[in-house]
Amino acid sequence: MTASLFTPYKLNDTLTLANKILMAPLTRCMADDDLVPTQKMVDYYARRAAAGLIISEATIIRPDAQGYPNTPGLFTPAQIDGWRKVTDAVHKSDGKIFSQLWHTGRVAHPHFFDGDYVLSSSAQAVEGTVPRMRELVYQTPKAATLDDIKQLVVDYAQAAANAIDAGFDGVEIHAANGYLIDQFLHHDNNRREDEYGQTPENMSRFALDVVDAVVARIGADRTAIRVSPGAYFNMAADPRDRAVFDYLLPELAKRNLAFLHGGIFDDSMQFDYLGGNISTYLRSVYTGTLVGVGSYTAETGSAAIADNKFDLLAIGRPFIANPDYVAKVRQGEAVVEYNDAMLAELI
Ligand code: FNR
């Protein structure tokens, strides 16, 4: 039933994946205090190298991108060296790995970088506290100036170049899940009145600026992006957001990126204003390679690929519970069920 997952998939002339199972990006908060990947992380990723492609846990592009403790970075020489150990180990086992490039925007906290403020599209706070650090209440962000935006774009491109330097096969730009880029793409957060706000074209501009800068630096074949057209995390939904993604997605398709990845925890979730679930909406407006994700099993994901709902399947929590997920699926063995207690340790 899952045999179709085990045929190779050619992303483009540069990259062919050995199978169609991707390991979804999974934040584990286990980098050291300088945000450098540890030996445990090297072993954790190497154990999962049988995935067609690993997408790394979200990795911050610069200090003020940080919103959670001990999330790895990709902006110091030590961090680049640390990641090189991870990519070497994955390559030694014939795997491939992309780095997920991250800035949390208004979900950052100055506690982590000893700063005065956090940046976002607009001065709209998200309610709540940093997970597991309840004393850290989210702040009203500073609306990024045009100079701030220019610098952010430069910093995304530099982080992409650092990823290649560290041996990654490419990058996935994290434009999903209510973080910085997504904060420009939804009306709940973006109240700007300049060329980065109000219209679909303007609200898409920051995302496309980042994509174009990254592509210019490392090439479209090695650049992917993750988006959340349906607001479900750190963001309130607004029916007007549909027009933003109706504009953005064909623009992304023109760029011939490696793939587009939906950002969602459960792909059966329906969004009225998108006319259904995330993967169906993305498939209807985006013509390139699409990665489906969100509470799939190998069986349901394989069936969705057979139905042409998407091309590749990303698996998250089951990969936390099963380092040998790919081998188990291939051999038809039962997989261990995930539970949150497993987050305490890297196995
Ligand atoms: C996530 N997810 C996530 N997404 C992302 O884009 N970057 C990240 O760093 C993380 N981190 C993360 C940590 C943990 C502990 C979980 C459970 C999830 C979301 C993840 O990539 C995926 O979309 C969801 O887990 C849904 O897929 P599964 O788990 O149902 O296969």
Side-chain angles (χ1 to χ4, degrees):
M1 242 171 87
T2 59
S4 66
L5 295 174
F6 292 98
T7 50
Y9 187 90
K10 186 174 177 180
L11 285 176
N12 47 50
D13 288 343
T14 312
L15 296 168
T16 297
L17 310 183
N19 61 62
K20 294 181 184 159
I21 302 176
L22 275 55
M23 178 177 164
L26 296 159
T27 288
R28 302 301 305 270
C29 299
M30 294 198 188
D32 76 13
D33 288 342
D34 295 320
L35 313 186
V36 174
T38 61
Q39 185 58 43
K40 276 194 173 161
M41 288 167 64
V42 174
D43 300 338
Y44 161 86
Y45 283 110
R47 278 197 283 271
R48 289 160 174 83
L53 178 68
I54 294 171
I55 303 167
S56 81
E57 64 202 280
T59 298
I60 61 171
I61 62 163
R62 61 185 213 180
D64 72 346
Q66 190 176 354
Y68 304 81
N70 297 92
T71 51
L74 201 40
F75 53 90
T76 70
Q79 291 162 358
I80 295 169
D81 288 345
W83 278 117
R84 197 174 292 115
K85 294 188 185 123
V86 172
T87 62
D88 280 349
V90 170
H91 290 151
K92 232 176 240 154
S93 300
D94 294 327
K96 287 198 164 54
I97 180 166
F98 272 33
S99 168
Q100 193 188 46
L101 302 185
W102 194 28
H103 193 303
T104 62
R106 67 176 178 172
V107 193
H109 201 285
H111 164 80
F112 295 117
F113 51 91
D114 205 16
D116 297 326
Y117 57 84
V118 299
L119 281 177
S120 184
S121 53
S122 300
Q124 297 290 323
V126 64
E127 258 181 52
T129 57
V130 173
R132 284 172 285 157
M133 300 180 81
R134 298 185 127 227
E135 69 284 8
L136 299 180
V137 177
Y138 289 131
Q139 305 205 338
T140 301
K142 178 191 149 194
T145 64
L146 293 179
D147 281 343
D148 290 332
I149 288 176
K150 266 194 203 133
Q151 189 59 50
L152 283 162
V153 171
V154 166
D155 292 338
Y156 273 101
Q158 184 58 48
N162 293 348
I164 299 302
D165 188 13
F168 283 100
D169 297 285
V171 304
E172 177 178 276
I173 297 166
H174 194 349
N177 297 353
Y179 297 116
L180 179 65
I181 298 176
D182 206 25
Q183 290 162 24
F184 282 78
L185 296 173
H186 292 270
H187 285 274
D188 172 44
N189 195 140
N190 186 340
R191 313 286 172 95
R192 297 179 75 94
E193 294 182 350
D194 63 3
E195 64 263 44
Y196 287 91
Q198 292 187 313
T199 67
E201 192 175 351
N202 286 347
M203 291 171 69
S204 298
R205 192 178 309 280
F206 180 57
L208 292 171
D209 284 353
V210 171
V211 169
D212 289 340
V214 169
V215 166
R217 210 54 193 270
I218 67 167
D221 282 0
R222 297 192 185 278
T223 304
I225 189 165
R226 188 173 216 197
V227 296
S228 295
Y232 78 104
F233 185 57
N234 292 322
M235 191 71 72
D238 185 314
R240 294 173 298 166
D241 295 346
R242 162 85 186 241
V244 179
F245 286 88
D246 281 351
Y247 172 81
L248 173 68
L249 292 160
E251 282 299 316
L252 290 173
K254 283 185 204 164
R255 269 100 175 147
N256 287 319
L257 303 180
F259 58 83
L260 172 75
H261 186 184
I264 189 77
F265 270 66
D266 181 354
D267 197 29
S268 67
M269 208 173 155
Q270 303 289 309
F271 295 88
D272 286 352
Y273 61 98
L274 300 178
N277 66 340
I278 293 297
S279 59
T280 305
Y281 167 69
L282 291 176
R283 193 60 142 184
S284 71
V285 277
Y286 184 80
T287 47
T289 295
L290 178 63
V291 179
V293 70
S295 302
Y296 285 99
T297 62
E299 288 76 18
T300 60
S302 177
I305 290 175
D307 285 348
N308 198 27
K309 295 202 158 93
F310 44 79
D311 305 295
L312 298 166
L313 172 67
I315 292 289
R317 287 161 289 189
F319 249 121
I320 293 176
N322 300 271
D324 53 351
Y325 181 80
V326 172
K328 280 183 173 158
V329 171
R330 196 194 284 271
Q331 290 152 20
E333 278 174 39
V335 297
V336 174
E337 203 166 318
Y338 165 85
N339 67 67
D340 285 340
M342 295 174 177
L343 293 177
E345 222 192 319
L346 283 182
I347 58 160

